[in-house]
Amino acid sequence: MAAPYATRQLADLGARVIKVERPGEGDFARHYDTTVHGQSSYFVWINRSKESLTLNLKDPRGLEILHSLLEGADVFVQNLAPGAADRLGLSTEELTRRYPRLIPCTISGYGTTGPWADRKAYDMLVQCQTGLVSLTGTPEGTARTGISVADIAAAMYAYSGILTALYTRATTGEAHPVEVSLFEALGEWMGQPAYYTRYGGSQPPRLGTQHATIAPYGTYRAADGREVLFSIQNEREWAALCTEFLGRPDLTDDPRFATSSARVAHREELNTVIAERFARSDADELLKDLESIGIACAGVNDMPAFLAHPVLTARDRWSEVEVPGGTTVEALLPPADLAGLPPRMDPVPAVGEHTDAILTELGHSPAAIEALRADAVI
């Protein structure tokens, strides 16, 4: 997931991205599910606006074709299994020697050096190894984060690292390789609980939707059974909550709740007071009351509610993208808007859809292309 998501974001900005896939089956992610008009939701999400070239890199002729592309490429991104790139002669050292202007980007599980360099990794393993799973869930049990956060974190750092390397090359003439590991990318996102644990003596507890270091902060059940989330970020908001929402101005200066740390220490007592207030109103009324006094709040949406969110509709954040088979899907526009530069929202490629065109561009004749296909090189 990491390399394809990083490169899709480069494609969003207009880069020409050629995705090299296995002949026949293509990327494994094409087969994770079939929910999007027969296509994988994972693959459709992270592979639009790319060209698909199928190559058997274990065949010298396939590797030769890849090198023909690298001669004119700016960036080479790979997240192959540990050691696979080296065995193919595609190590960072070899690529930088052979192509001085090329920016190789390697995405690994635990780094290319160190005691775990040879270990395979995927998102859930890294969620466990970084301690994220120990923080996610309830006191009764841990939970996996519902999206592939380790892959996404690595993709974002690869993306920003590549852009930085391109800018550095443009300004200094020097091409610097980029390396990102899933473990270190997600480890960076674990900064706050890491500091809290190292210098506080224990790690933050698992509290479901409650916040380990801020109170009140979390979901509470309304009289109609729906959940509403709100949080108090400062003492002004706390005073407004006590006086105008809870109807308990006496709590403002109550020693149990007078500071953020005190409220965390007396969380259960505070939650009892809040629960009593929530039990008297339905969710819509609670949201209206909280918003009226400037308290950040929200209902707890499911996925259909998110898809129909009025913000996405009013801001025109949906765009049609073609997928293999001649159908289209609604895709969210990239979150970063560049004024005057519309994002690229080209089709998701079928396996090997652009193979013939790319090989023709590289100088291969129709007969040569058919010969390569007959030998399963492409």
Side-chain angles (χ1 to χ4, degrees):
M1 302 293 294
Y5 187 40
T7 52
R8 195 219 75 188
Q9 293 176 91
L10 295 170
D12 290 344
L13 296 177
R16 183 184 185 186
V17 178
I18 297 174
K19 180 178 180 67
V20 179
E21 304 189 64
R22 301 170 186 82
E25 63 181 325
D27 185 340
F28 292 146
R30 286 184 180 273
H31 312 291
Y32 285 165
D33 61 66
T34 57
T35 57
V36 184
H37 302 307
Q39 307 296 317
S40 161
S41 56
Y42 285 91
F43 193 87
V44 168
W45 168 44
I46 58 177
N47 284 291
R48 67 173 179 247
S49 304
K50 299 180 184 180
E51 300 170 44
S52 174
L53 167 67
T54 51
L55 288 179
N56 178 4
L57 296 182
K58 294 181 179 179
D59 188 299
R61 292 168 292 177
L63 202 55
E64 183 181 352
I65 292 169
L66 178 61
H67 280 288
S68 296
L69 287 171
L70 291 174
E71 289 175 2
D74 291 297
V75 180
F76 175 69
V77 186
Q78 62 89 7
N79 61 347
L80 299 172
D86 291 1
R87 292 191 294 272
L88 292 168
L90 299 173
S91 67
T92 295
E93 294 74 20
E94 177 62 20
L95 290 175
T96 53
R97 181 193 67 77
R98 191 164 175 176
Y99 309 107
R101 292 190 71 259
L102 182 70
I103 297 168
C105 176
T106 299
I107 302 177
S108 65
Y110 300 101
T112 57
T113 61
W116 285 30
D118 294 332
R119 289 200 183 196
K120 290 184 178 181
Y122 56 82
D123 185 86
M124 184 57 184
L125 291 176
V126 176
Q127 286 194 36
C128 290
Q129 289 295 325
T130 56
L132 176 59
V133 171
S134 76
L135 302 177
T136 307
T138 66
E140 290 72 37
T142 58
R144 169 190 177 272
T145 303
I147 57 174
S148 301
V149 288
D151 283 311
I152 294 169
M156 297 306 297
Y157 288 116
Y159 168 63
S160 61
I162 289 167
L163 292 178
T164 302
L166 286 168
Y167 179 78
T168 302
R169 192 187 67 179
T171 54
T172 69
E174 298 180 359
H176 295 273
V178 177
E179 180 180 344
V180 177
S181 78
L182 273 69
F183 179 73
E184 289 161 356
L186 190 57
E188 166 62 20
W189 287 15
M190 298 295 291
Q192 182 274 324
Y195 280 115
Y196 184 98
T197 302
R198 172 163 287 184
Y199 298 103
S202 62
Q203 73 174 48
R206 290 191 306 275
L207 296 170
T209 60
Q210 300 281 308
H211 197 287
T213 60
I214 303 173
Y217 189 133
T219 56
Y220 298 86
R221 192 169 300 279
D224 58 5
R226 294 160 59 195
E227 289 187 319
V228 171
L229 180 139
F230 81 96
S231 65
I232 294 300
Q233 299 292 317
N234 53 57
E235 299 313 308
R236 179 193 59 77
E237 291 183 356
W238 169 242
L241 184 80
C242 294
T243 303
E244 302 180 54
F245 180 76
L246 297 176
R248 293 285 306 275
D250 58 297
L251 296 180
T252 303
D253 299 318
D254 188 312
R256 296 173 299 167
F257 311 128
T259 66
S260 177
S261 296
R263 291 192 289 274
V264 170
H266 297 89
R267 183 193 307 275
E268 293 305 318
E269 297 164 78
L270 178 57
N271 282 345
T272 298
V273 175
I274 294 171
E276 290 172 354
R277 170 64 179 87
F278 266 59
R280 299 199 300 267
S281 305
D282 64 25
D284 290 338
E285 182 182 351
L286 291 166
L287 289 167
K288 181 179 178 181
D289 290 346
L290 288 166
E291 288 172 0
S292 70
I293 60 172
I295 303 297
C297 57
V300 180
N301 284 343
D302 57 14
M303 287 309 300
F306 165 69
L307 294 172
H309 203 288
V311 170
L312 298 177
T313 302
R315 285 176 49 77
D316 198 22
R317 300 306 296 176
W318 295 102
S319 178
E320 284 197 346
V321 171
E322 294 181 26
V323 297
T327 54
T328 62
V329 298
E330 290 288 309
L332 282 171
L333 295 173
D337 292 326
L338 278 66
L341 186 63
R344 184 177 170 199
M345 302 290 284
D346 289 353
V348 177
V351 178
E353 179 180 344
H354 303 90
T355 299
D356 288 18
I358 293 170
L359 293 182
T360 300
E361 185 180 343
L362 292 174
H364 294 260
S365 68
I369 293 171
E370 286 308 310
L372 289 170
R373 183 167 283 114
D375 291 342
V377 177
I378 59 175

